[in-house]
Amino acid sequence: MAKLLRADFARLFSYKRFLLLLGLTAALAAYLNYGNIVSLNENPHVYLYPFELLIYCSFIITTFIAFFSGINFTDGVIRNKLFSGYSKAQIYLSNAVVSAFMASVFTVLYMLGSVWLVIKNVMDLKTYLAYVFVCVLASVAFSSLGTFASFVCRGKAIPIVMSALIIVGMLYGTDRLNEILGMPEYSEVIDTVNGVPLSEIESLSDGDDIVFKTVRNSQYISDKNIRKTLDVICKFFPTTENASAASCCYIPENSKYLCHRENYTEMTEIKSPKNAFNIGNVAYSLAFIAVFTCTGVFIFRKEDLK
């Protein structure tokens, strides 16, 4: 297994497109640092979103991994490994480790785009490292998806399309589930204006006597078991953790960091590195990796490559 890993890593570092993407990511990080410097110099009260491009980066990383792993089939690399005596499980796991390494390197490089904020004490180092940890873990989860797509579908184009569609589906699921779970049970709506029902009013003007009433949202899900199930599904998606990190916003007026966390709709304060991420969500990322890796190994072992 160690010899197989060394061979896969050697192949990775000889792949020019990997080195090109590394260079582009490093250039992006440098540009983001420069942008933060310019923004704060021009306007000390500007709101900063240090990780706002994280979702797009994860999308690119996953599709690249699907393409890179898919080349193994078209170039006959997988068949040669089988002839060398390696098992299908070893081949899959070796590719999964290399893919996880790629995802981690790209994510760390991207997040270095906010390191200037740490140097200038705009962001606490421990909070920054907490975000790096959880975002790298989410990227590794995405890499397991890219590896799964390449070994199940094979080829170059189909794995890319498959992984891209799954990510889009998870992004939509994250957005929709956050909307459902963040919906309040009751809300206030206008009842009357100057004693007249709202339905009979054509327009509102300053000075109107407006009376509100509390109504229950018809789409609110009150069943606790259903809400818990939807919450588990939402947190299982690595896109949920990425979306939370991407929403992280620095408020210069009071030196606070806010992000979408747990309540889904309102921005809550990040008071310490401990609540910069949720340990439970880390477990969900690990579960996502385990599910796709185990399923991928199982399917690949059943395939006939002759």
Side-chain angles (χ1 to χ4, degrees):
M1 184 68 176
K3 186 177 180 180
L4 182 60
L5 279 171
R6 285 196 297 269
D8 283 341
F9 273 109
R11 178 172 170 270
L12 171 65
F13 286 113
S14 65
Y15 190 53
K16 293 182 180 179
R17 293 180 183 177
F18 167 71
L19 300 177
L20 175 62
L21 190 56
L22 275 182
L24 291 175
T25 307
L28 174 62
Y31 174 78
L32 292 174
N33 275 306
Y34 173 76
N36 288 331
I37 294 172
V38 172
S39 297
L40 287 176
N41 286 339
E42 292 181 351
N43 181 10
H45 302 291
V46 67
Y47 285 24
L48 297 176
Y49 291 85
F51 316 120
E52 61 181 334
L53 299 179
L54 188 62
I55 292 178
Y56 304 102
C57 291
S58 298
F59 185 89
I60 295 172
I61 290 170
T62 306
T63 53
F64 177 81
I65 288 174
F67 175 79
F68 176 79
S69 299
I71 295 176
N72 288 331
F73 289 95
T74 57
D75 291 351
V77 176
I78 297 296
R79 187 171 283 103
N80 291 337
K81 290 178 180 178
L82 289 172
F83 289 152
S84 298
Y86 295 108
S87 68
K88 290 182 178 180
Q90 288 176 324
I91 294 171
Y92 188 101
L93 292 176
S94 178
N95 274 268
V97 171
V98 173
S99 297
F101 171 80
M102 280 192 284
S104 301
V105 170
F106 287 136
T107 304
V108 170
L109 270 179
Y110 163 73
M111 299 193 77
L112 285 176
S114 302
V115 73
W116 184 84
L117 299 177
V118 179
I119 295 173
K120 290 296 182 179
N121 294 321
V122 176
M123 176 182 283
D124 177 68
L125 176 60
K126 292 182 179 179
T127 301
Y128 173 76
L129 292 177
Y131 268 114
V132 171
F133 171 76
V134 75
C135 291
V136 165
L137 190 59
S139 293
V140 172
F142 281 115
S143 76
S144 69
L145 169 60
T147 304
F148 173 84
S150 63
F151 274 80
V152 171
C153 299
R154 305 186 209 176
K156 296 179 181 178
I158 297 178
I160 294 175
V161 174
M162 177 184 177
S163 57
L165 289 176
I166 293 176
I167 292 176
V168 170
M170 289 193 298
L171 283 171
Y172 175 79
T174 292
D175 183 66
R176 186 73 184 113
L177 289 172
N178 283 346
E179 180 183 348
I180 293 173
L181 294 170
M183 183 182 298
E185 184 173 3
Y186 296 94
S187 59
E188 288 190 342
V189 299
I190 297 177
D191 184 21
T192 62
V193 179
N194 300 323
V196 180
L198 179 63
S199 58
E200 300 178 11
I201 301 297
E202 295 183 0
S203 62
L204 299 176
S205 59
D206 294 338
D208 285 339
D209 181 19
I210 301 176
V211 177
F212 292 88
K213 65 177 179 179
T214 302
V215 297
R216 188 179 188 280
N217 291 322
S218 59
Q219 296 181 339
Y220 179 81
I221 300 176
S222 57
D223 189 289
K224 293 183 178 180
N225 292 328
I226 295 179
R227 292 188 68 84
K228 287 182 179 179
T229 302
L230 294 178
D231 186 60
V232 169
I233 295 173
C234 184
K235 290 179 179 178
F236 181 74
F237 296 155
T239 46
T240 301
E241 197 60 44
N242 272 10
S244 176
S247 73
C248 176
C249 176
Y250 174 70
I251 312 298
E253 283 82 355
N254 48 24
S255 299
K256 289 183 178 180
Y257 277 93
L258 306 179
C259 83
H260 289 296
R261 175 65 63 194
E262 297 304 329
N263 61 350
Y264 301 106
T265 53
E266 298 179 3
M267 300 284 277
T268 56
E269 182 181 355
I270 301 300
K271 297 180 180 179
S272 69
K274 292 183 178 180
N275 71 341
F277 66 93
N278 188 296
I279 294 296
N281 288 8
V282 172
Y284 285 115
S285 292
L286 293 175
F288 186 94
I289 295 169
V291 167
F292 272 89
T293 301
C294 293
T295 304
V297 170
F298 176 79
I299 295 175
F300 183 54
R301 290 179 66 182
K302 297 294 182 180
E303 290 185 351
D304 185 6
L305 302 180
K306 295 180 180 179

